[in-house]
Amino acid sequence: MAEMSREYKILLIVHIIVAFIYGIMYLFLPETVYSVNEAPFFDPHFWRLFGGILFAIGIAGIVGLKMGDWEKVKLLMLYAITFLIILILVNLTSNTYIIRTATNLVFHWLDTTVMIVLLIFDIFFYIREEKK
């Protein structure tokens, strides 16, 4: 059994917090998020569905943190890396086919930046954990 490093546990906690923040926003407060960020489209079902997925990822992160074993958490982290890559690609390509207001553009790039930072840390620490 390979114990996760302290740094990776901290990264997992950051993932959990971010997943719950965005999960709660999209699952329970989609109308508020829509009005604040001036989103060009609104379908409450899909916004809540996305929020539920993020909430589930946060719960999976808590389970992974409680396990503490790198071999058991590795698959979860590969999923997180893949999920972030897909979300970043969708966000970046959406700039070509969605017309956004200035406010929505700020929120869009904030979300994309958060995902890119998480992805960089995920890949860095994943490679480091694998070398141990």
Side-chain angles (χ1 to χ4, degrees):
M1 237 166 65
E3 181 75 19
M4 276 191 300
S5 69
R6 182 173 184 256
E7 295 88 3
Y8 214 91
K9 287 180 181 179
I10 292 170
L11 179 62
L12 199 50
I13 290 170
V14 170
H15 265 281
I16 293 166
I17 291 169
V18 170
F20 280 141
I21 288 171
Y22 280 94
I24 288 169
M25 284 173 29
Y26 284 97
L27 182 60
F28 299 112
L29 308 167
E31 292 86 3
T32 304
V33 174
Y34 168 71
S35 65
V36 169
N37 78 7
E38 298 177 2
F41 304 106
F42 182 63
D43 183 343
H45 168 74
F46 287 107
W47 283 48
R48 285 192 168 97
L49 182 64
F50 183 63
I53 291 167
L54 294 173
F55 207 78
I57 289 171
I59 292 170
I62 290 173
V63 171
L65 191 62
K66 287 191 181 272
M67 285 183 196
D69 179 30
W70 171 246
E71 291 302 319
K72 292 179 181 175
V73 176
K74 183 177 12 178
L75 187 60
L76 171 67
M77 295 318 296
L78 284 173
Y79 173 76
I81 290 169
T82 305
F83 186 71
L84 285 170
I85 290 170
I86 292 169
L87 286 180
I88 291 167
L89 290 174
V90 169
N91 264 11
L92 293 176
T93 59
S94 74
N95 287 324
T96 63
Y97 58 85
I98 293 179
I99 298 170
R100 300 176 184 280
T101 64
T103 304
N104 184 255
L105 208 53
V106 168
F107 279 96
H108 173 78
W109 282 108
L110 175 68
D111 295 345
T112 305
T113 303
V114 167
M115 288 185 281
I116 290 170
V117 169
L118 283 174
L119 179 63
I120 290 168
F121 279 113
D122 280 353
I123 292 170
F124 174 77
F125 284 112
Y126 182 88
I127 291 169
R128 203 172 95 175
E129 288 290 316
E130 278 295 290
K131 286 183 180 179
K132 287 184 181 181

